[in-house]
Structure formats: C-alpha cells, structure tokens
Amino acid sequence: MDTIKKIWKLLEQVPDPEIPVLSVVDLGVVRKVNLNNDEIEITITPTYSGCPAMNQFEDDIKSYLQKNGFQKVIIKTIYSPAWTSDWLTEKAKEKLEQYGIAPPVEKTTDKHFILGKQPTVRCPQCKSTNTKMISQFGSTACKALYQCNDCKEPFDYFKCL
Ligand SMILES: [Zn+2]
C-alpha cells in the first residue's frame, strides 16, 4: 500500500472528539494528504467554530499518526471554504443515525434550507417522520433538540451548516 493510502486509512481511525462514532474523514474535516519526502502534510478544515472540538482535531491527528510511526506531521488548517455539513459522507450519516443522532436531511444549497424552513427530520429510534423541534440548541450548538411524536423519545438533530 502506498504511504498516502495508508495515512488515509489511519485517519479513518481518528474519532471526532465530540461524536466518537465518526472519524475525521467521515466528517469531511481532512481535505488533503500530501507527502514531501518523509514529511506528511495534512490539510484540514475544522467544523464550525461553535463546536468545542475545533482545536482538538489537530492534536488528535498528529498524535495518532505519530503513534503509528509517522513522526513528521504538519497540519495545515484552512478555513475557506468553510466546513459544511454537506461534506459528511453517506457512511457518516448512517453512523450518526445508528448513534441516535438524526443526520442533516438536506444540503445547505437547498432552497428549503435557505428559506429557513423546518426540515422533516426522521426519528433515529423508530424512523418515524412525525417529529417536532423542541429547541434550536441540543447538547451542543451544532445540534437541535427534537422529539418524536410516535415513540416520544427526544433526540439530537445534526443541523445543516
Ligand atoms: Zn420515534
């Protein structure tokens, strides 16, 4: 396996500090992996600034790669274009739902979203779409709190950003 592929594989093992079932690759935080001689350069775009996890990505990625024998790791952080929930992979959305968090149901480029209307969110427990928003803010600023009208369970919805 070539080194770049190996590094992508390793990065898939680095969990999001906040939602450990998702890796930094699932989240779309890792944008690019470059190899200059024996120096690895990883370009990341952290998730939105409201999240406490923001500065942890860099440390987590570095220490995980170093544990796996890659000593020279440089992290380049770019903020533009800004991270958006559109970058979540399909696998990430499935993992989120299994974890009990409803994944974003639309793209930020959708008209519906731009107009600021409430999306139809599916309950991660019973899959009912008969749900309502309780609060704009869930356990963290990146989530909204919903409740299912069928199974009555409250759940977090990962907001489109
Ligand atoms: Zn339900």
Side-chain angles (χ1 to χ4, degrees):
M1 212 192 302
D2 70 53
T3 311
I4 295 210
K5 269 193 195 146
K6 203 167 157 188
I7 289 163
W8 276 105
K9 280 264 172 253
L10 287 172
L11 292 171
E12 278 170 27
Q13 310 297 318
V14 180
D16 171 34
E18 204 181 317
I19 308 167
V21 287
L22 295 185
S23 76
V24 292
V25 175
D26 291 330
L27 271 172
V29 162
V30 180
R31 307 312 297 163
K32 227 191 304 170
V33 176
N34 279 327
L35 191 64
N36 312 312
N37 299 316
D38 60 342
E39 194 175 80
I40 297 150
E41 185 190 79
I42 295 170
T43 307
I44 64 167
T45 297
T47 52
Y48 30 89
S49 49
C51 278
M54 184 149 161
N55 297 314
Q56 223 181 312
F57 290 114
E58 196 174 324
D59 293 346
D60 288 356
I61 289 171
K62 251 189 183 163
S63 66
Y64 191 76
L65 289 179
Q66 283 168 349
K67 251 189 273 170
N68 283 278
F70 295 98
Q71 296 308 321
K72 288 190 195 163
V73 181
I74 291 175
I75 310 272
K76 218 169 88 186
T77 306
I78 52 166
Y79 294 96
S80 176
W83 184 90
T84 144
S85 57
D86 297 350
W87 294 357
L88 287 168
T89 62
E90 285 308 308
K91 207 169 90 190
K93 290 181 191 170
E94 279 169 33
K95 285 191 197 170
L96 270 177
E97 195 172 38
Q98 283 163 13
Y99 188 62
I101 299 173
V105 287
E106 41 193 12
K107 297 270 182 192
T108 54
T109 46
D110 286 353
K111 241 201 197 124
H112 189 69
F113 176 79
I114 295 162
L115 291 173
K117 284 193 188 135
Q118 288 303 319
T120 304
V121 176
R122 191 167 70 160
C123 168
Q125 315 295 337
C126 71
K127 315 296 180 214
S128 164
T129 50
N130 181 17
T131 61
K132 61 169 188 282
M133 189 174 76
I134 299 198
S135 165
Q136 281 262 27
F137 301 100
S139 56
T140 67
C142 9
K143 298 180 206 111
L145 187 64
Y146 270 71
Q147 188 174 24
C148 179
N149 293 323
D150 288 334
C151 73
K152 309 292 178 210
E153 285 293 323
F155 62 90
D156 276 333
Y157 170 59
F158 198 107
K159 282 193 254 181
C160 300
L161 286 166

